[in-house]
Amino acid sequence: MASWKVKHKSSGTPGTLNMGKPHIFEFETYQDMHACRDVINKAFAYCESLKSNSVLQTWSYASRFSEKISNELQILHKELVQSKVQKMNFWSRRKELLGKYSIGKWKQRVGLMASSIKPSTDGRTNRVTFNLTPEIIFQIFNERPAVSQAFLNYVPSKMTEKDFWTKYFRAEYHYSTKNTAVAEAEAAEDEVLSVFLKPDEILAQEARPKIRRVDPSLDMVADQGDDYSHTMDLVEPQNDQFGRRSLSQDINRHSATVLEDRCIDVESDDSRTIAEALTLAKQDVESDDSRTIAEALTLAKQVSKATKDAYQERLEKLSRAIVMEDLKEPQNFSFVPLSTKDPRDYFESQQGIVLNEPRVTWDSKRNVHDAYRSLKEPVVQIRTKGLSAPFINPEVSFKVLSELTQTISDANTLNGKNQPESVLDRLPKSMKHDILHHWALIQELLRHFWSSYPITSTYLSTKVGRLNDAMLNIDSQLEAMKEPVRSDIRHEVSSPVCSMQKVSFFRYIDKEFYVMNQIVDGS
Amino acid sequence: MAIMAKHVEAFIREFFDQNPLSQIGLVSIKNGIAHTLTDLGGSPESHIQALMGKLEAAGDSSLQNALELVHEHLNQIPSYGHREVLILYSALSTSDPGDIMETIQKCKKSRLRCSVIGLSAEMFICKHLCQETGGLYSVAVDEVHLKDLLLEHAPPPPAIAEFAISNLIKMGFPQRAAEGSMAICSCHKEVKIGAGYTCPRCKARVCELPTECTICGLTLVSSPHLARSYHHLFPIAPFDEVPTLASSNDPRRKVGKSCFGCQQSLLGAGNKPGPCVTCRKCKHYFCLDCDIYIHESLHNCPGCESTHRPKSVSLMEE
Amino acid sequence: MATVASKLYSDDVSLLVLLLDTNPLFWSNTSTTFSQFLSHVLAFLNAVLGLNQLNQVVVIATGYCSCDYIYDSSLTLSGNSESGRTGMPALFASLLEKLEHFIVKDEELIKEQEHDERIASSLLSGSLSMALCYIQRVFRSGHLHPQPRILCLQGSPDGPEQYVAVMNSIFSAQRLMVPIDSCYIGTQNSAFLQQASYITGGVHHAPKQLDGLFQFLTTIFATDLHTRSFVQLPKPVGVDFRASCFCHKKTIDMGYVCSVCLSIFCEHHKKCSTCGSVFGQSKLDGASTVSEKKRKAPDS
């Protein structure tokens, strides 16, 4: 088979996929790999007819790993896959281990807030550039209905789209740089700009009935903190003509869109086509037609006003209810009651070690008193007579001290404080590397081995058999490797590797025996 | 950020102290995207290190992205495990790419209990999230309050009846390896001498407990880990307050002169009996400080433990 | 765990809380006599007090039916002449007096008990709890206080019914950063004390020759905490952390754990015998507690 190599010139973390000899794919970035996936899938479709399915499946598993694929893994894969373990199982086991990649992974996208759209500036010239995507347009229309209305009114009758947006962003820029004088001057010239610079009329209209519905006697917090109360003033403060929209107003508006927007989808059952158009407009954000979006939004808001009102009602009720939440029924998750007995009933068994040994028991009252007397007497005696000197024999003392010192120094030696290097460190580096490599291989095989238990099908038992053979194979390789090593440490060299193998081997033998017995019994 | 990091560190340590078999993962939200700082793991040090290394704040926050990421991670937990999210939220809004209500419903369906500690203002969406999933929403007013709120989340919440599925989980209790034995550690892939634990099933060597054996997947714990949680199962009854009567000569009141636990004098000013508490079962008197210590940390009543058990030995026979 | 922030310890001043085993059922069964033991211990206490002028010693007796404070060096008045003639100096006269009263009281209490077969364990959990309360009081007293540690002189075997209480005390000591040293003079192995010393960072030793007890005590257990960083002390060979199953009470190294109450079984059961939960179903009717958890904490 021909080998395909696709390279893209962009920087980033390399994603290399090594899937077996005939196919090598190298990509510079993960995104590129995704992009090319379609192409390659088509290629595979062609291959499929010639080769078995396992390659495709391997590909689909493998494609989910990019940065995680280390060199080590590739080497392991090469060796093992070519010998005994099926590719699919290899990747699926790895997938479990690495654990994070699953089908349907949520791809994170950034949400937008209309007031947070910032331009990029060119350091040299005096130009300020705003980037405008359909998503941004949608968000602006959503949060500032006055702008949406203005768009519908002025475009394409009075000006082009580009002009409209230029004016909008100019207004935004003036607003953000708090340049009142320029703002006033420009607003006087251009009525469109003035629309942008004033506080949002449509929003204010929507807010007024909302405010009226709120009962100020209850909702003190809302009363104080709600910025919509500013818009209720019939006499607008003069300084504020060019609308200092406060940050909290912006944020509130944005949050409202977050909360209420989608519910239009949920609530509307009439005007279905409009709603669909709206959802289509939302999803199909790639469409460049800002006008369609604006129209859809306005229409949707008008027609589904009934449902929207219903939603608003619910929202109001909820917010009122939250204020009086001590009167509200708490959401009832029924908790499981605690009903356990006295701990002394249970946990005696924790010390089975002690229980297994013969316990001292006492069953006669008389002896108890004797025992107490034997305790009291020495106390009284010492109190009156004092300690008899010497209470300890100096020879005994010396013996104890020397024994202790010996124990401590022995322990130190054993702990390797004086011998920091292990047996393996004494071997030449290449051999050590080989041993560790074999160990890694055996680890991988063992993982597959243990994951196949309990054996419930013949497939698993054959797999286990194959794994066992592979491990024995490696074992013999190790034996061969040990030849040049000194005979006294040969065993130590391979023992860390072999001990685990032995256990699995015994388990395997056990099972085989068991299976065979079953067959014998069954027949 | 530094204050929050300090308190989160204290929380992590307290959490592992109360729940030794649990795991924590850390996620941060920056510039509208949620990043995984650490995976689910049981070692406090690695989390604290990762936390201290990444203390920058930037950009907007997105509640939905965070919830989705957390949901993905926690979906892998087996059904007998309890799934929970604690969000420390200081932003005033959330910029989400999709419908956050849907995400909240998804969390509710997969039994993910979300709690939020707000660091700035109260937000409806956070409240809604917590109410839907059965979590707690609180807003910190100052640093001390923040610490208290955080530590409130360390003890385990009561189990919800429908969700608490009981299972028998297979676990191994490894022995500590003998000093001087050599083995290749399966977590570090290098030769180690001495201290370590051997998995009883496949004999692989692991460095610390509790953990899952990397070779055979058996959960490995030591019995103190299980014992650490027993005080939740057998909580100590609260002590009763002893009313300070006007006359200290009341014969019914047999207050000892000192606290049974710490021997501190229970007499207040002028030899009048000061405030103290008593245990219902053993009737011993304790000072208020001992009361706090016993109920928060010790979980044993010294008086009850110092009284010979009335049960006869015959119950303990095999 | 490390909620104790910056406590200013005096460098090598120590507060030693000694838990003395006065279980008559044990003492009447050993080769060493109680009087020998007592003399070694008194000499040891004297030595500890002599190491530093500010050292403090508190002795709590672990009896069979009760536990009580026997001696507190900070309360002893100096120069009391009660036994100025022969006999013990005033330093320990009060200790011995209180010890006598304690034994008498303990004897009275045992009369009230039923006379079935008794397991000869003492109330270790009680004296540990009292010791920790005292130490907590010392911590509360301000910045300048000695470094506390607990020394457990125990010969009685472990009482299995005290498992939970002892483990609670151990974990609390670990949080307070108080090491629990243990000197076990009995015949069997004490798993409680081994675990206590391992978890809290103390020293465990089981001396075989009890006539050299004084030497053991002064070599291993007299050093204060600051000095321990320079001195090598004997390390235990191994600590057995295996659990035992609830059904057969045998030690197992692999078993099944109920996810609700964490009781351990050696084989698969349909129903948990401690909390009554049926496995594999969700519980809607009683008999369950906090389930095992895996939680996650994101940051923002």
Side-chain angles (χ1 to χ4, degrees):
Chain A
M1 296 291 292
S3 61
W4 299 64
K5 270 195 186 168
V6 184
K7 271 199 186 138
H8 286 253
K9 290 202 181 79
S10 32
S11 58
T13 51
T16 316
L17 293 168
N18 199 340
M19 287 177 12
K21 276 194 183 143
H23 304 273
I24 301 175
F25 296 86
E26 282 178 30
F27 298 90
E28 297 281 333
T29 64
Y30 190 46
Q31 289 102 348
D32 295 329
M33 187 175 87
H34 267 309
C36 295
R37 202 208 289 207
D38 293 277
V39 172
I40 294 173
N41 269 336
K42 288 188 193 136
F44 263 107
Y46 169 72
C47 300
E48 200 181 10
S49 53
L50 308 176
K51 236 183 152 165
S52 67
N53 270 335
S54 61
V55 179
L56 246 184
Q57 280 164 329
T58 318
W59 161 252
S60 65
Y61 279 121
S63 65
R64 295 200 177 92
F65 303 81
S66 60
E67 302 104 32
K68 293 293 171 189
I69 296 183
S70 60
N71 279 333
E72 194 188 299
L73 204 52
Q74 290 174 32
I75 297 172
L76 275 179
H77 176 86
K78 238 194 237 168
E79 287 209 29
L80 293 175
V81 164
Q82 285 165 6
S83 57
K84 300 292 174 191
V85 181
Q86 275 195 10
K87 294 171 204 169
M88 185 159 67
N89 291 334
F90 179 80
W91 286 116
S92 61
R93 182 82 183 119
R94 272 287 145 178
K95 182 173 82 137
E96 277 161 32
L97 285 177
L98 288 175
K100 278 192 280 182
Y101 292 84
S102 55
I103 304 169
K105 178 177 173 180
W106 170 263
K107 226 181 146 209
Q108 297 195 38
R109 292 169 353 246
V110 183
L112 294 164
M113 209 159 85
S115 55
S116 69
I117 297 167
K118 296 268 183 294
S120 55
T121 46
D122 197 348
R124 283 174 291 142
T125 62
N126 249 349
R127 289 165 76 89
V128 166
T129 323
F130 285 85
N131 279 326
L132 201 60
T133 65
E135 272 176 13
I136 295 182
I137 294 176
F138 174 71
Q139 199 70 13
I140 293 177
F141 283 158
N142 222 354
E143 293 195 12
R144 311 233 167 106
V147 174
S148 162
Q149 190 65 39
F151 184 87
L152 288 172
N153 292 344
Y154 294 135
V155 174
S157 52
K158 285 204 185 162
M159 60 179 81
T160 64
E161 201 179 313
K162 188 169 175 209
D163 282 340
F164 179 82
W165 288 118
T166 321
K167 288 216 163 98
Y168 173 75
F169 282 115
R170 188 178 290 174
E172 279 292 307
Y173 187 72
H174 289 314
Y175 170 68
S176 65
T177 51
K178 298 193 185 358
N179 214 335
T180 352
V182 178
E184 278 181 26
E186 295 219 5
E189 293 176 1
D190 197 344
E191 56 172 296
V192 179
L193 265 180
S194 64
V195 171
F196 295 149
L197 288 170
K198 279 211 195 99
D200 202 318
E201 269 303 313
I202 297 182
L203 276 181
Q205 275 170 13
E206 286 173 7
R208 274 185 207 115
K210 244 201 304 184
I211 299 296
R212 286 192 198 110
R213 263 183 299 189
V214 174
D215 186 355
S217 60
L218 280 176
D219 211 348
M220 294 185 303
V221 175
D223 211 26
Q224 282 174 10
D226 200 333
D227 278 283
Y228 286 124
S229 60
H230 288 299
T231 60
M232 251 187 87
D233 293 353
L234 297 169
V235 179
E236 294 247 346
Q238 281 128 352
N239 322 352
D240 253 352
Q241 195 192 6
F242 292 101
R244 292 290 163 246
R245 296 187 306 267
S246 60
L247 180 62
S248 53
Q249 276 182 317
D250 277 341
I251 290 178
N252 275 341
R253 181 60 208 154
H254 173 77
S255 313
T257 55
V258 167
L259 287 173
E260 75 191 24
D261 208 359
R262 306 299 180 245
C263 284
I264 294 176
D265 277 331
V266 174
E267 298 273 338
S268 66
D269 39 20
D270 53 10
S271 69
R272 182 164 293 202
T273 41
I274 305 294
E276 274 173 359
L278 186 56
T279 33
L280 261 178
K282 275 186 223 148
Q283 284 169 7
D284 195 16
V285 174
E286 282 102 34
S287 107
D288 284 318
D289 199 347
S290 328
R291 199 189 169 81
T292 332
I293 298 175
E295 262 179 347
L297 265 175
T298 336
L299 282 172
K301 282 188 183 154
Q302 282 169 3
V303 174
S304 64
K305 205 153 188 349
T307 50
K308 192 177 174 188
D309 271 325
Y311 173 73
Q312 290 284 47
E313 285 268 8
R314 208 185 67 166
L315 208 57
E316 291 299 294
K317 252 190 239 163
L318 260 178
S319 49
R320 242 178 272 160
I322 286 164
V323 173
M324 296 187 286
E325 66 188 8
D326 359 338
L327 302 177
K328 196 169 94 163
E329 252 315 285
Q331 193 152 38
N332 258 332
F333 290 110
S334 56
F335 295 129
V336 179
L338 199 67
S339 72
T340 46
K341 302 176 258 186
D342 193 341
R344 292 172 185 185
D345 284 341
Y346 300 135
F347 295 107
E348 64 221 25
S349 57
Q350 281 294 329
Q351 290 310 313
I353 304 167
V354 176
L355 284 172
N356 286 339
E357 298 177 18
R359 280 191 255 160
V360 177
T361 54
W362 217 261
D363 49 10
S364 165
K365 192 174 172 184
R366 188 171 34 93
N367 285 349
V368 166
H369 286 296
D370 276 347
Y372 273 106
R373 201 168 4 108
S374 66
L375 274 186
K376 268 189 285 185
E377 278 171 3
V379 176
V380 176
Q381 193 189 30
I382 292 178
R383 208 170 117 211
T384 47
K385 293 198 194 137
L387 292 177
S388 54
F391 57 88
I392 181 168
N393 194 337
E395 282 156 9
V396 172
S397 205
F398 180 70
K399 192 166 147 222
V400 165
L401 193 57
S402 48
E403 270 178 16
L404 275 179
T405 323
Q406 189 62 37
T407 325
I408 294 173
S409 60
D410 282 344
N412 275 350
T413 328
L414 262 183
N415 281 347
K417 287 211 171 91
N418 299 333
Q419 296 175 5
E421 51 167 40
S422 67
V423 169
L424 284 188
D425 286 334
R426 290 191 231 148
L427 300 171
K429 264 202 183 149
S430 60
M431 194 179 276
K432 181 176 175 192
H433 182 74
D434 276 338
I435 290 183
L436 284 176
H437 173 70
H438 276 104
W439 179 84
L441 278 177
I442 289 192
Q443 287 247 299
E444 193 63 30
L445 287 172
L446 277 173
R447 273 192 198 119
H448 286 270
F449 182 84
W450 288 112
S451 65
S452 329
Y453 278 94
I455 297 186
T456 47
S457 69
T458 43
Y459 161 71
L460 281 175
S461 59
T462 44
K463 178 176 169 190
V464 161
R466 271 199 325 231
L467 286 171
N468 201 38
D469 293 334
M471 286 197 279
L472 288 173
N473 204 5
I474 293 180
D475 206 17
S476 55
Q477 282 180 10
L478 257 183
E479 291 289 322
M481 246 176 34
K482 279 195 310 192
E483 286 302 307
V485 180
R486 264 174 38 213
S487 50
D488 52 341
I489 51 172
R490 242 180 242 168
H491 176 68
E492 282 183 44
V493 164
S494 60
S495 68
V497 181
C498 290
S499 58
M500 299 193 315
Q501 257 181 284
K502 273 192 205 124
V503 177
S504 60
F505 183 65
F506 286 131
R507 182 74 191 268
Y508 173 67
I509 298 267
D510 228 4
K511 271 293 170 183
E512 217 178 47
F513 200 61
Y514 172 71
V515 166
M516 274 172 43
N517 273 346
Q518 268 198 328
I519 297 174
V520 167
D521 289 339
S523 65
Chain B
M1 281 300 281
I3 295 178
M4 196 162 68
K6 187 176 81 172
H7 290 312
V8 170
E9 178 188 344
F11 169 76
I12 290 177
R13 291 199 198 278
E14 176 73 19
F15 178 81
F16 279 117
D17 191 51
Q18 303 247 3
N19 310 286
L21 296 171
S22 308
Q23 297 174 350
I24 282 187
L26 296 175
V27 165
S28 74
I29 309 175
K30 244 193 273 192
N31 287 322
I33 304 273
H35 306 273
T36 313
L37 278 180
T38 53
D39 276 329
L40 285 174
S43 141
E45 294 307 321
S46 56
H47 294 307
I48 292 174
Q49 253 179 1
L51 178 67
M52 295 308 179
K54 294 266 177 94
L55 284 182
E56 318 98 38
D60 291 332
S61 97
S62 166
L63 203 53
Q64 187 183 16
N65 278 336
L67 283 175
E68 288 285 345
L69 183 63
V70 166
H71 183 262
E72 232 174 71
H73 281 292
L74 287 181
N75 246 350
Q76 302 156 13
I77 302 300
S79 60
Y80 54 78
H82 177 99
R83 304 164 188 184
E84 192 161 339
V85 171
L86 176 62
I87 307 180
L88 293 173
Y89 206 69
S90 63
L92 288 171
S93 65
T94 165
S95 319
D96 299 320
D99 186 2
I100 193 165
M101 297 299 179
E102 258 176 47
T103 312
I104 294 179
Q105 291 307 313
K106 198 158 102 172
C107 292
K108 185 172 175 184
K109 239 185 275 171
S110 46
R111 299 182 278 121
L112 181 62
R113 179 181 186 257
C114 309
S115 305
V116 177
I117 295 182
L119 298 172
S120 50
E122 178 168 351
M123 282 179 60
F124 175 72
I125 188 69
C126 296
K127 187 141 202 163
H128 184 68
L129 168 67
C130 296
Q131 274 175 342
E132 286 289 304
T133 54
L136 283 175
Y137 181 43
S138 37
V139 177
V141 296
D142 60 20
E143 186 181 339
V144 176
H145 191 211
L146 171 65
K147 182 167 165 204
D148 288 337
L149 289 174
L150 260 179
L151 291 179
E152 237 174 55
H153 282 98
I160 298 175
E162 301 94 54
F163 301 156
I165 299 173
S166 55
N167 268 323
L168 266 186
I169 314 157
K170 196 167 171 86
M171 289 199 183
F173 301 98
Q175 300 248 40
R176 201 169 159 83
E179 306 287 334
S181 65
M182 182 181 75
I184 304 183
C185 162
S186 55
C187 30
H188 300 106
K189 304 198 183 351
E190 48 186 46
V191 183
K192 294 242 166 145
I193 299 184
Y197 302 91
T198 322
C199 169
R201 183 153 72 175
C202 66
K203 305 282 178 278
R205 183 196 185 279
V206 290
C207 284
E208 50 180 34
L209 297 179
T211 186
E212 241 185 50
C213 175
T214 38
I215 308 288
C216 62
L218 182 65
T219 312
L220 300 173
V221 290
S222 68
S223 43
H225 285 131
L226 296 179
R228 214 181 268 270
S229 310
Y230 289 154
H231 74 88
H232 294 302
L233 295 181
F234 306 104
I236 181 177
F239 288 166
D240 295 328
E241 252 189 58
V242 175
T244 48
L245 299 172
S247 106
S248 55
N249 292 330
D250 191 344
R252 279 174 303 169
R253 190 151 175 248
K254 296 191 284 288
V255 186
K257 290 204 200 67
S258 49
C259 162
F260 184 77
C262 64
Q263 300 289 293
Q264 195 173 42
S265 166
L266 286 176
L267 299 172
N271 272 353
K272 286 236 165 79
C276 58
V277 289
T278 178
C279 167
R280 276 173 223 168
K281 286 194 216 148
C282 61
K283 311 272 188 293
H284 279 115
Y285 290 91
F286 297 94
C287 61
L288 296 179
D289 299 308
C290 278
D291 184 21
I292 296 174
Y293 172 63
I294 287 169
H295 283 97
E296 285 188 1
S297 178
L298 187 56
H299 306 288
N300 279 346
C301 166
C304 297
E305 295 302 325
S306 310
T307 317
H308 186 68
R309 52 279 179 197
K311 281 198 198 9
S312 57
V313 173
S314 52
L315 275 180
M316 298 186 229
E317 290 289 317
E318 288 174 345
Chain C
M1 237 154 37
T3 49
V4 286
S6 53
K7 294 197 180 219
L8 299 175
Y9 295 142
S10 339
D11 208 343
D12 55 352
V13 178
S14 52
L15 160 67
L16 177 69
V17 183
L18 181 67
L19 307 182
L20 205 60
D21 187 1
T22 58
N23 183 2
L25 307 182
F26 164 70
W27 284 113
S28 52
N29 226 20
T30 54
S31 49
T32 322
T33 62
F34 188 64
S35 69
Q36 267 185 322
F37 172 71
L38 203 54
S39 42
H40 286 260
V41 169
L42 288 175
F44 169 66
L45 289 180
N46 214 13
V48 168
L49 286 172
L51 276 175
N52 190 312
Q53 199 179 22
L54 297 173
N55 275 354
Q56 288 179 34
V57 167
V58 173
V59 180
I60 300 176
T62 316
Y64 184 74
C65 298
S66 57
C67 303
D68 205 4
Y69 283 87
I70 299 295
Y71 177 69
D72 186 345
S73 66
S74 54
L75 293 181
T76 316
L77 305 161
S78 56
N80 211 343
S81 64
E82 188 223 296
S83 43
R85 310 158 302 249
T86 55
M88 289 302 285
L91 205 58
F92 291 130
S94 61
L95 186 158
L96 294 165
E97 197 180 319
K98 279 208 192 142
L99 184 58
E100 195 185 335
H101 289 156
F102 172 75
I103 295 174
V104 167
K105 210 172 58 172
D106 209 35
E107 189 176 2
E108 275 169 32
L109 283 174
I110 205 175
K111 281 186 208 150
E112 299 166 16
Q113 302 298 326
E114 296 164 15
H115 305 306
D116 297 18
E117 293 191 4
R118 300 180 203 280
I119 179 173
S121 69
S122 57
L123 294 172
L124 178 62
S125 55
S127 49
L128 263 179
S129 309
M130 289 168 76
L132 287 168
C133 283
Y134 187 88
I135 289 176
Q136 180 67 5
R137 172 186 160 198
V138 169
F139 280 156
R140 285 198 304 266
S141 66
H143 282 302
L144 283 178
H145 54 75
Q147 281 179 312
R149 66 181 193 274
I150 298 178
L151 172 58
C152 222
L153 267 182
Q154 188 86 348
S156 322
D158 295 332
E161 71 282 0
Q162 294 174 25
Y163 179 71
V164 179
V166 170
M167 294 312 279
N168 280 341
S169 316
I170 293 174
F171 295 132
S172 185
Q174 189 189 24
R175 283 172 77 154
L176 291 175
M177 296 197 293
V178 171
I180 298 180
D181 300 330
S182 47
C183 184
Y184 186 69
I185 50 185
T187 45
Q188 305 149 351
N189 234 342
S190 169
F192 282 168
L193 292 178
Q194 276 186 357
Q195 289 190 19
S197 299
Y198 179 76
I199 292 173
T200 56
V203 181
H204 174 84
H205 198 75
K208 296 292 172 256
Q209 287 159 279
L210 290 180
D211 48 355
L213 183 63
F214 173 74
Q215 188 60 49
F216 279 108
L217 290 176
T218 42
T219 315
I220 304 172
F221 298 108
T223 45
D224 57 272
L225 298 181
H226 179 73
T227 318
R228 281 187 192 186
S229 46
F230 313 122
V231 172
Q232 295 278 9
L233 295 170
K235 291 191 180 52
V237 178
V239 187
D240 196 347
F241 281 125
R242 286 178 302 172
S244 33
C245 70
F246 280 41
C247 34
H248 307 110
K249 299 188 177 49
K250 57 176 185 201
T251 331
I252 48 170
D253 54 10
M254 250 199 305
Y256 295 91
V257 173
C258 169
S259 67
V260 173
C261 61
L262 299 182
S263 32
I264 305 170
F265 302 103
C266 53
E267 52 197 20
H268 209 279
H269 287 223
K270 284 221 183 72
K271 195 167 115 105
C272 173
S273 56
T274 30
C275 64
S277 40
V278 181
F279 292 121
Q281 294 175 15
S282 82
K283 270 175 320 316
L284 289 170
D285 40 346
S288 114
T289 61
V290 179
S291 46
E292 218 177 271
K293 312 160 11 59
K294 291 189 175 150
R295 292 167 70 174
K296 178 166 181 172
D299 237 339
S300 139

